[in-house]
Amino acid sequence: MSTAPVPRTARQRSARLILVTAAATATAVTAAACSTSATAGGDSGASGSGKKIQVVAAENFWGSVASQLGGSHAEVTSIITSPDTDPHDYEPTAGNARTVSTARYAIVNGIGYDAWADKLLSTNPGSDRTELKVEDLVGIKPGGNPHRWYSPHDVHRVIEKITADYKKMDPADSAYFDQRKKAFESKTLAPYNRLLSDIKAKYAGTPIGASESIVTPLSKELGLKMLTPDRFLNAMNEGADPSAKDKAAIDQQIKKKQIKIYVYNTQNSTPDVQEQVKEAKAQGIPVATVTETLTPAGASFQEWQTAQLRGIERALAKATGK
């Protein structure tokens, strides 16, 4: 499930918006990205409203969740769909603007991750549009760790909020949305939840290293001990140069085998990271990979996350003999 390394540019710069003035009032939706298919639960029962909620998600990991919760009563378009696209520095198109201008529901991550999405929403106001900003939902401001889709706890909070918002927008179909949510959490996410529980029960306390902060929320919920300095993780996430001191610290952790496994984001593979991966393998330290967006692009949220968790589990098993 690896992808070609995509070097990341500086995170703090504002993304340039490629918009046209007419986009704000456009009435037709241009599919700027593929809609994510719904796979959770069934679609029994007729629609009370007879209309689909038009949804736009800045990134496909939240779009996949929204699509599965909405089923046949929501049409979800995700803007970021390619594993080769850096969500931090994405440049929206006129088609993206038209999609946003006609959406009744918009989902953005926030926390400094997709500032371009906020600009897109403000440029294309919708009087009846409901907006979910994960930043506000989880109470983490810019400067905090933006990778909330790697926090199982926050994922479930997003599921709750999306369902509640769907019910407010389409009260006639409230029972349908409740059924979708129940099926998604109890059946569709069952393998994901089981892996989280199994890894924590078996490997909690195991010291690990990582290439950037994307792994931090997940490692905390798995009970793994992150040894990589936070400053190094954050610098890599922001596209900044890590300090020589922090770089030396993780290099020594690898050479002395203080970490049991090394986890790296293949979508942010800088020369420093590539060197660390190479050294970890040379030292016999198992390497597991993660990505920022759905990989492959057509995967569902649960398929993607479950595959990555299995990779981490295999690395931990190899490293510890458990």
Side-chain angles (χ1 to χ4, degrees), residues 109-316:
N109 190 76
I111 322 179
Y113 188 74
D114 47 11
W116 55 268
D118 287 331
K119 295 179 181 180
L120 196 57
L121 291 172
S122 64
T123 305
N124 297 273
S127 59
D128 65 343
R129 184 174 65 218
T130 299
E131 297 177 4
L132 166 57
K133 194 170 185 178
V134 176
E135 169 184 312
D136 296 332
L137 179 66
V138 303
I140 298 178
K141 298 303 180 182
N145 192 310
H147 309 102
R148 306 327 301 172
W149 60 100
Y150 272 99
S151 166
H153 175 72
D154 288 346
V155 168
H156 285 285
R157 293 177 70 178
V158 171
I159 291 169
E160 291 280 352
K161 180 60 174 172
I162 290 175
T163 301
D165 286 343
Y166 280 166
K167 291 165 67 175
K168 287 181 181 179
M169 288 182 281
D170 182 8
D173 290 318
S174 289
Y176 173 85
F177 294 125
D178 283 335
Q179 176 255 324
R180 297 289 300 184
K181 174 181 174 292
K182 181 178 180 181
F184 186 60
E185 291 190 309
S186 64
K187 297 179 181 178
T188 306
L189 290 184
Y192 167 76
N193 292 328
R194 186 164 52 250
L195 273 169
L196 291 169
S197 178
D198 289 348
I199 293 173
K200 185 173 184 177
K202 201 168 186 178
Y203 302 108
T206 303
I208 71 168
S211 66
E212 67 150 288
S213 63
I214 191 172
V215 185
T216 304
L218 181 61
S219 66
K220 287 181 178 178
E221 297 209 29
L222 292 175
L224 303 175
K225 186 178 180 181
M226 179 66 72
L227 293 191
T228 308
D230 285 340
R231 291 186 303 272
F232 179 91
L233 297 173
N234 294 333
M236 298 302 294
N237 176 61
E238 296 297 333
D241 291 329
S243 69
K245 180 180 178 180
D246 291 334
K247 184 177 181 300
I250 183 62
D251 288 345
Q252 285 301 307
Q253 289 169 1
I254 292 173
K255 290 178 181 178
K256 294 182 179 180
K257 297 186 178 181
Q258 294 172 341
I259 60 173
K260 294 296 184 180
I261 70 169
Y262 182 87
V263 185
Y264 86 106
N265 174 7
T266 59
Q267 285 177 259
N268 183 23
S269 188
T270 66
D272 280 339
V273 169
Q274 292 173 25
E275 187 60 32
Q276 288 176 4
V277 170
K278 180 180 178 181
E279 183 62 26
K281 291 180 178 179
Q283 294 295 335
I285 297 172
V287 175
T289 62
V290 295
T291 58
E292 296 206 26
T293 54
L294 301 183
T295 307
S300 67
F301 173 84
Q302 63 275 6
E303 290 169 341
W304 170 55
Q305 287 287 312
T306 297
Q308 294 184 142
L309 284 169
R310 285 176 178 150
I312 292 173
E313 183 182 46
R314 285 192 298 270
L316 287 165

Side-chain angles (χ1 to χ4, degrees), residues 15-166:
R16 300 184 302 276
L17 298 181
I18 305 176
L19 307 176
V20 294
T21 304
T25 56
T27 57
V29 176
T30 297
C34 296
S35 296
T36 311
S37 61
T39 59
D43 279 329
S44 59
S47 171
S49 64
K51 296 181 179 179
K52 290 186 177 182
I53 300 172
Q54 298 298 315
V55 184
V56 61
E59 297 89 13
N60 60 2
F61 40 80
W62 294 133
S64 175
V65 173
S67 181
Q68 294 180 77
L69 292 172
S72 63
H73 296 179
E75 185 172 342
V76 181
T77 299
S78 295
I79 294 177
I80 299 292
T81 60
S82 170
D84 292 334
T85 300
D86 184 347
H88 296 257
D89 296 317
Y90 181 70
E91 298 178 354
T93 67
N96 297 153
R98 286 191 289 270
T99 299
V100 168
S101 71
T102 57
R104 284 196 61 207
Y105 191 42
I107 305 170
V108 301
N109 190 76
I111 322 179
Y113 188 74
D114 47 11
W116 55 268
D118 287 331
K119 295 179 181 180
L120 196 57
L121 291 172
S122 64
T123 305
N124 297 273
S127 59
D128 65 343
R129 184 174 65 218
T130 299
E131 297 177 4
L132 166 57
K133 194 170 185 178
V134 176
E135 169 184 312
D136 296 332
L137 179 66
V138 303
I140 298 178
K141 298 303 180 182
N145 192 310
H147 309 102
R148 306 327 301 172
W149 60 100
Y150 272 99
S151 166
H153 175 72
D154 288 346
V155 168
H156 285 285
R157 293 177 70 178
V158 171
I159 291 169
E160 291 280 352
K161 180 60 174 172
I162 290 175
T163 301
D165 286 343
Y166 280 166

